[in-house]
């Protein structure tokens, strides 16, 4: 994790926010809307993922509002940024604000660390509520995106038995190529326990190999 950085003094209770979007006009509009609220302050802006990490490191906000499409023509930059914020700045809550409303993308954003997912056509009240929710450690999804996440977690797209939250964590690390020992160290469990979870994952996904489990999970939107 980068070394702590000293940000500007902010009144106690104020939610410090960074805006990440490749459209300057949209960022300006968001800033004006959010700063109408007495408990919200925009402390930084960025148009790219790399610039965003620098701004977040220097300001240490409570919330990062992230558009998934950052000029590359796909949602990948925003997803990578969510994952980087999750890994480097766990105290910062990533909130996705995007035009994408696709089940696979919503689930991938959650897997990447997004604590909320808001579509850009929401009204200001919903956006402000989402910022406050993720800042308080809660999640922020509207009815459409919440149902997408729940369906994916339950595996309703297949006949497979639903995976538990811990099994999803193990599966994610499995997809990164980690061994049982490495998974155990990451999740603070023993290698034997990690192996037990993997056995359950294989059984529930009805496969016999780890690579098959990753493939099937990815098809179901679990990764």
């Amino acid at each position: 994790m980068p070394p702590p950085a000293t940000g500007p003094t902010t009144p106690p209770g104020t939610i410090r926010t960074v805006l990440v979007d490749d459209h300057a006009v949209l960022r300006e509009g968001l800033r004006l809307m959010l700063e109408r609220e007495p408990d919200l302050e925009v402390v930084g802006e960025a148009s790219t993922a790399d610039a965003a990490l620098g701004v977040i490191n220097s300001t240490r906000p409570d919330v990062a509002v992230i558009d998934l499409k950052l000029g590359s023509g796909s949602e990948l930059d925003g997803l990578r940024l969510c994952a980087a914020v999750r890994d480097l700045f766990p105290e910062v809550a990533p909130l996705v604000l995007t035009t994408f409303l696709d089940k696979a993308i919503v689930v991938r954003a959650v897997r990447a660390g997004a604590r909320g997912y808001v579509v850009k056509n929401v009204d200001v009240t919903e956006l402000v509520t989402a910022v406050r929710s993720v800042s308080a450690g809660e999640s922020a999804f509207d009815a459409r995106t919440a149902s997408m996440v729940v369906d994916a977690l339950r595996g309703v797209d297949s006949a497979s038995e639903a995976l538990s939250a811990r099994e999803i964590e193990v599966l994610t690390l499995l997809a990164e190529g980690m061994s049982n020992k490495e998974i155990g160290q990451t999740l603070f469990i023993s290698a034997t326990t990690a192996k037990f979870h993997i056995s359950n994952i294989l059984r529930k996904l009805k496969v016999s190999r780890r690579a098959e489990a990753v493939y099937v999970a990815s098809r179901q939107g679990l990764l």
Side-chain angles (χ1 to χ4, degrees):
M1 182 185 300
T6 302
T9 302
T10 307
T14 300
I15 301 171
R16 305 173 71 251
T17 306
V18 163
L19 305 178
V20 186
D21 194 292
D22 59 344
H23 293 94
V25 174
L26 193 145
R27 293 199 309 271
E28 179 62 21
L30 285 174
R31 175 187 285 272
L32 291 174
M33 288 189 295
L34 293 179
E35 291 195 331
R36 288 174 185 164
E37 304 297 322
D39 60 332
L40 303 184
E41 178 184 4
V42 176
V43 296
E45 299 180 18
S47 60
T48 68
D50 288 342
L53 291 175
V55 171
I56 290 170
N57 185 45
S58 62
T59 61
R60 296 302 170 95
D62 302 298
V63 177
V65 179
I66 300 171
D67 185 7
L68 291 183
K69 186 176 179 181
L70 297 174
S72 67
S74 77
E75 73 283 357
L76 295 179
D77 282 351
L79 292 172
R80 293 191 187 104
L81 178 56
C82 284
V85 172
R86 174 198 63 196
D87 296 340
L88 297 174
F89 310 101
E91 74 281 7
V92 179
L95 171 64
V96 169
L97 177 64
T98 186
T99 57
F100 290 104
L101 185 57
D102 177 88
K103 179 177 179 178
I105 295 175
V106 173
V107 174
R108 288 177 67 188
V110 174
R111 298 295 178 215
R115 299 188 194 173
Y117 195 107
V118 179
V119 180
K120 283 185 176 179
N121 62 5
V122 299
D123 60 33
V124 177
T125 301
E126 288 181 87
L127 176 59
V128 169
T129 298
V131 171
R132 289 173 176 150
S133 295
V134 298
S135 174
E138 303 169 0
S139 58
F141 300 93
D142 63 23
R144 294 168 298 175
T145 54
S147 65
M148 290 177 182
V149 174
V150 170
D151 285 352
L153 291 175
R154 289 177 176 171
V156 298
D157 287 340
S158 73
S160 302
E161 185 179 346
L163 301 182
S164 69
R166 173 61 87 183
E167 286 163 354
I168 291 291
E169 291 178 324
V170 171
L171 180 61
T172 301
L173 298 179
L174 195 63
E176 296 177 6
M178 289 191 182
S179 65
N180 292 354
K181 181 179 180 181
E182 290 169 330
I183 292 173
Q185 290 173 337
T186 301
L187 297 179
F188 302 102
I189 59 179
S190 69
T192 301
T193 301
K195 182 178 180 180
F196 171 77
H197 287 308
I198 291 170
S199 295
N200 281 339
I201 291 169
L202 297 180
R203 175 180 58 79
K204 290 181 177 183
L205 295 181
K206 300 178 181 178
V207 297
S208 58
R209 298 177 182 272
R210 295 178 179 220
E212 292 175 325
V214 171
Y215 173 76
V216 170
S218 134
R219 290 289 301 273
Q220 292 184 17
L222 297 175
L223 293 174

